[in-house]
Amino acid sequence: GDSWGIFTFLCAALCNLPALPALNCSEELGAGQSIQQTYDLTRYLEHQLRTLAGTYLNYLGPPFNEPDFNPPRLARAERVPSATVDLDLWRGLTDNARLAANYRAYSRLLCYLRVLDGQVGTAELRHRLAHFCASLQGLVLSIGGVMSSLGYPLPAGPAGPPAPPGAHAAPNDFLKKMDDFWLLKELQTWLWRSAKDFNRLKKKVPPAVVTLRLEARGF
Amino acid sequence: DSHTQYERVGADVTMKCGSMDWDAAVTWTANGTDIDESHLNGSYLILKNVDLSQSGQYSCYEGSSWHLKYQTYLRVGTPPKEPVLMCRSNNYPKGFYCSWHLPTPTYIPNTFNISVIHGTKDMVCEKDAIPKNRCHIRYLQLFSTVKYKVTLTVTNALGKNFTTLTFDEFAIVKPDPPESVVAKPVPNNPRRLEVSWQNPSSWPDPESFPLKFFLRYRPLILDQWQHVELSDGTSHTITDAYAGKEYIIQVAAKDNDIGTWSDWSVAVHATPWTEEPKHLTTEAQITETTSTSTSSFMAPPTTKICDKGAVVGSGAMAVCWTAGLVVAAYSVLFI
């Protein structure tokens, strides 16, 4: 009841921080370079997540840390943005839609992770989560930078008004852990998907333009 | 009255001669050969501890009239052991295939039934005509967080067994090995080999799902491989080959971000370019091989052209530019 209210407030506060304007350097570097950097960031984060998820799932305890754990997806878990998409639809996404989907997803995932950070028990976990959140924030900014350099508007903050207090509160400890489990899973899947999204974007934005600019700047 | 009868290896089998009484006079044959009376208990045929060789057609004839009263085809076999199941996506993101086999034969006909569940959805795995024990599935969605659960059930007349595989979409991605691997010497470069290959033809979309490659190479005479990982491109030039040595080269592929490495490609052999005609080179190679393969093999030095190691294989017509220049310089002085 009360904890949900705090959660909603925190989310609103953290997520409605003005999205930093596209850093000037990204325009100088050119979209091609930024896309490569964003791609590299997703790979780095995916690697980081593996360690973080391992530690966190052990903290949650069995059955969450069992490799075969394959629970059904409960309706309540839908609030976490899903990377799952129809194959043809994914192929047909415009660059703008592709980037926007990534931007929105990571913004929200970051939000949820930050709340997690506040609740988690051990100091080691808090430290790891904080580090991961910082890297994830970097990714969001990087995607924003790419969008700006390509002339696309940044998507607005978390869609819709905050849910009323108590609406999504996990009724018990086990379901709360399930929520955490799915959050980590969606995060992992998004990072895998982003690698593919940015591969496609890399092909579309030729790096040749970038090289010229870099030389002009004397890099 | 004729039918088929399945029995386990090691079982005791009792065959009745149809509706004949126990004390009726009958003759049993196995595949046309009379069976000795010692196997009979009245008109029943008793086969103890049956083995595979006892499979065949058993017939029962009435004593005097030789009327065929009963016939059965006995097939001795075993119930199925737990089948071996493997699922793999070599054509990501199109879908995946599963293939299976029994670890040991049952000697009787088996039927296989495969079920694929994705979350709450049942999916149909379409059986392939060739090879037989294989089916394939098309992905409807990509980047799924829900695991796939594949259950294979094998059934025969003597029993059933099953096995299950549960996996994430990403975990089973394993491309086929690269194709058309070609290795060629580079003219006038005794330490180079140019290797090129192609993406496996089963990989449908290398543009959006690029592959990275792993090249390994070694001279035939050594056991240790050298490795190079390449994040793009389908060619590579080896620049540190030992002069005149035949090399064996293989390439493997992997999706850039997910899954596992393919098996190694078919091996190709190549020898770097050498200046000498072949027969002279071979002699020099043999001498060199016997003298140096027993000692620690050091890379021939790259700086001094006139050094013994690099000259090996060049034979009598040593390309010794430094010495040549010195001689030329002195000649000029003396002219």
Side-chain angles (χ1 to χ4, degrees):
Chain A
D2 272 356
S3 60
W4 178 252
I6 297 168
F7 173 91
T8 329
F9 173 76
L10 274 173
C11 229
L14 291 167
C15 300
N16 287 322
L17 280 171
L20 288 178
L23 306 168
N24 284 333
C25 3
S26 66
E27 278 179 304
E28 287 176 6
L29 286 173
Q33 185 76 337
S34 306
I35 291 172
Q36 180 62 48
Q37 285 176 341
T38 314
Y39 171 84
D40 292 339
L41 251 176
T42 65
R43 305 290 286 128
Y44 170 68
L45 274 162
E46 192 228 316
H47 186 80
Q48 244 195 304
L49 181 61
R50 261 183 255 160
T51 325
L52 174 64
T55 316
Y56 196 80
L57 291 174
N58 278 331
Y59 165 76
L60 292 181
F64 302 100
N65 57 353
E66 281 158 23
D68 288 343
F69 185 48
N70 185 24
R73 200 82 194 266
L74 304 171
R76 56 178 291 106
E78 299 296 321
R79 68 198 170 114
V80 176
S82 179
T84 311
V85 63
D86 173 75
L87 174 53
D88 291 323
L89 206 109
W90 179 80
R91 273 217 165 89
L93 285 173
T94 61
D95 293 349
N96 187 6
R98 198 177 292 279
L99 285 161
N102 275 266
Y103 187 89
R104 266 190 239 110
Y106 288 118
S107 303
R108 284 178 66 189
L109 286 165
L110 180 59
C111 208
Y112 289 123
L113 269 182
R114 279 176 168 155
V115 174
L116 210 67
D117 193 7
Q119 299 165 343
V120 149
T122 73
E124 189 212 350
L125 260 177
R126 271 198 296 274
H127 174 77
R128 281 193 199 273
L129 261 173
H131 184 200
F132 191 84
C133 281
S135 307
L136 193 55
Q137 170 79 80
L139 177 62
V140 174
L141 288 173
S142 193
I143 300 171
V146 173
M147 292 185 82
S148 297
S149 68
L150 288 173
Y152 301 133
L154 288 182
H168 295 299
N172 63 50
D173 196 43
F174 183 80
L175 286 179
K176 165 80 180 67
K177 288 181 179 181
M178 277 291 259
D179 287 349
D180 296 350
F181 172 83
W182 281 117
L183 174 61
L184 289 173
K185 213 136 206 255
E186 282 297 358
L187 192 44
Q188 181 182 58
T189 314
W190 261 110
L191 288 168
W192 278 331
R193 171 175 160 176
S194 293
K196 300 309 183 202
D197 278 323
F198 284 100
N199 266 329
R200 265 185 103 88
L201 288 163
K202 257 197 273 192
K203 306 284 177 186
K204 303 253 198 112
V205 181
V209 176
V210 178
T211 330
L212 285 169
R213 285 194 193 158
L214 284 175
E215 283 169 4
R217 296 281 167 196
F219 282 111
Chain B
D1 185 341
S2 168
H3 69 311
T4 309
Q5 184 174 354
Y6 295 97
E7 300 289 343
R8 285 184 190 220
V9 170
D12 295 336
V13 181
T14 303
M15 288 191 201
K16 296 187 189 172
C17 189
S19 52
M20 301 285 278
D21 293 331
W22 177 83
D23 55 0
V26 298
T27 311
W28 281 92
T29 65
N31 292 328
T33 315
D34 283 10
I35 298 177
D36 190 73
E37 276 193 12
S38 58
H39 294 109
L40 292 167
N41 176 0
S43 68
Y44 298 169
L45 174 63
I46 314 286
L47 298 170
K48 285 197 174 291
N49 194 14
V50 291
D51 62 43
L52 295 168
S53 65
Q54 290 172 293
S55 296
Q57 188 165 74
Y58 289 80
S59 313
C60 177
Y61 300 94
E62 192 181 8
S64 43
S65 64
W66 276 94
H67 277 141
L68 178 64
K69 285 295 178 183
Y70 178 76
Q71 198 168 63
T72 185
Y73 200 93
L74 175 69
R75 298 199 61 173
V76 181
T78 58
K81 289 220 168 86
E82 187 178 325
V84 176
L85 175 65
M86 179 271 283
C87 294
R88 184 175 148 220
S89 176
N90 65 342
N91 60 350
Y92 193 73
K94 269 211 185 132
F96 65 90
Y97 75 86
C98 291
S99 76
W100 55 87
H101 66 273
L102 284 171
T104 52
T106 60
Y107 304 99
I108 60 177
N110 307 296
T111 45
F112 294 91
N113 197 329
I114 192 156
S115 82
V116 181
I117 303 174
H118 183 217
T120 51
K121 264 182 82 175
D122 271 313
M123 297 180 80
V124 175
C125 195
E126 292 177 40
K127 290 229 168 122
D128 290 342
I130 294 163
K132 254 190 344 161
N133 288 356
R134 192 155 136 163
C135 70
H136 62 271
I137 275 202
R138 291 185 141 264
Y139 282 133
L140 300 168
Q141 292 184 317
L142 271 196
F143 315 117
S144 181
T145 43
V146 179
K147 289 187 201 241
Y148 289 84
K149 182 170 169 176
V150 182
T151 306
L152 173 73
T153 311
V154 55
T155 313
N156 68 20
L158 299 175
K160 68 198 280 189
N161 213 323
F162 75 97
T163 187
T164 306
L165 269 184
T166 312
F167 52 83
D168 278 310
E169 175 188 317
F170 309 96
I172 58 166
V173 176
K174 176 178 167 176
D176 285 329
E179 293 171 5
S180 310
V181 184
V182 172
K184 292 191 294 210
V186 180
N188 302 304
N189 280 282
R191 303 201 60 204
R192 290 189 175 216
L193 284 169
E194 216 171 71
V195 190
S196 65
W197 59 89
Q198 287 176 350
N199 285 328
S201 49
S202 51
W203 195 252
D205 191 359
E207 281 289 301
S208 301
F209 297 86
L211 293 169
K212 62 181 178 186
F213 302 97
F214 211 73
L215 191 107
R216 71 175 185 181
Y217 59 98
R218 65 175 172 86
L220 282 181
I221 55 176
L222 292 183
D223 286 328
Q224 202 159 20
W225 294 95
Q226 269 170 277
H227 297 107
V228 182
E229 187 169 326
L230 303 152
S231 51
D232 57 39
T234 54
S235 63
H236 176 74
T237 305
I238 296 167
T239 54
D240 61 351
Y242 297 130
K245 299 284 173 278
E246 185 180 346
Y247 271 78
I248 178 170
I249 299 155
Q250 288 179 297
V251 194
K254 180 182 173 302
D255 175 275
N256 229 350
D257 315 294
I258 59 180
T260 55
W261 287 99
S262 71
D263 291 338
W264 289 108
S265 69
V266 167
V268 294
H269 293 241
T271 308
W273 174 90
T274 51
E275 203 194 351
E276 283 313 291
K278 205 165 177 215
H279 66 278
L280 280 172
T281 313
T282 319
E283 277 175 46
Q285 266 185 319
I286 291 168
T287 355
E288 220 261 337
T289 311
T290 48
S291 63
T292 56
S293 59
T294 48
S295 60
S296 61
F297 205 97
M298 288 198 315
T302 45
T303 46
K304 292 181 267 184
I305 295 168
C306 282
D307 204 34
K308 192 172 167 192
V311 161
V312 154
S314 310
M317 304 274 272
V319 181
C320 213
W321 295 113
T322 327
L325 278 172
V326 170
V327 169
Y330 273 110
S331 335
V332 166
L333 276 175
F334 286 129
I335 286 167

